[in-house]
């Protein structure tokens, strides 16, 4: 019931990326992303402790957070699944800090790990934003177990 009711809260969809200790790119889809502070610029996300890539993020290397556009639901689903090579046929390159940056996302934040905290069955990662980029477009939204599209309405008529 708790999970179902939480699922009624619409969230944006992000993919977090870093490198593992073997120098391979790792990443996961997360909807638990938000701002913490403007000065210094801090954001946070959380990962399940049993996530295959949680240890790579906990190691404290450079990381990137990618905000997905509404046309990127397939990319979100790819990084939400466990196992397999999520990186096959993807265009990506190291950013200024070295974290793997996915091409063509709506926005990306290049970050360094600021802090991490236990959060039940998750780890909460706080990251300091060192660089960012963005493009025009509509965000991918997740709510009630599915991807959604925002509908713009003029509320100031």
């Amino acid at each position: 019931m708790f999970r179902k009711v939480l699922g009624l809260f619409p969230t944006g969809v992000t993919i977090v990326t870093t490198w593992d200790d073997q120098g391979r790119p790792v990443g996961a889809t997360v909807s638990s992303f938000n701002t913490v502070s403007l000065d210094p610029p801090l954001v946070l996300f959380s990962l399940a402790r049993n996530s295959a890539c949680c240890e790579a993020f906990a190691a404290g290397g450079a990381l990137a957070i990618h905000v997905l556009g509404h046309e990127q639901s397939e990319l979100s689903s790819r990084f939400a699944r466990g196992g397999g090579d999520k990186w096959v046929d993807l265009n990506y390159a190291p950013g200024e800090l070295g974290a793997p940056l996915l091409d063509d996302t709506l926005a990306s934040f290049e970050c360094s790990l600021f802090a991490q905290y236990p959060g039940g069955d998750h780890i909460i990662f706080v990251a300091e934003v060192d660089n960012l980029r963005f493009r025009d477009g509509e965000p991918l939204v997740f709510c009630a177990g599915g991807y959604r599209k925002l509908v713009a309405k003029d509320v100031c008529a």
Side-chain angles (χ1 to χ4, degrees), residues 76-122:
S76 169
S77 295
R78 176 190 284 210
F79 277 82
R81 290 188 297 265
D85 188 353
K86 301 171 183 181
W87 298 87
V88 170
D89 298 327
L90 285 184
N91 292 324
Y92 67 95
E96 288 183 27
L97 297 179
L101 290 180
L102 298 167
D103 284 353
D104 300 323
T105 59
L106 191 59
S108 62
F109 300 84
E110 291 183 73
C111 304
S112 51
L113 188 61
F114 183 83
Q116 53 188 298
Y117 304 98
D121 58 2
H122 281 61

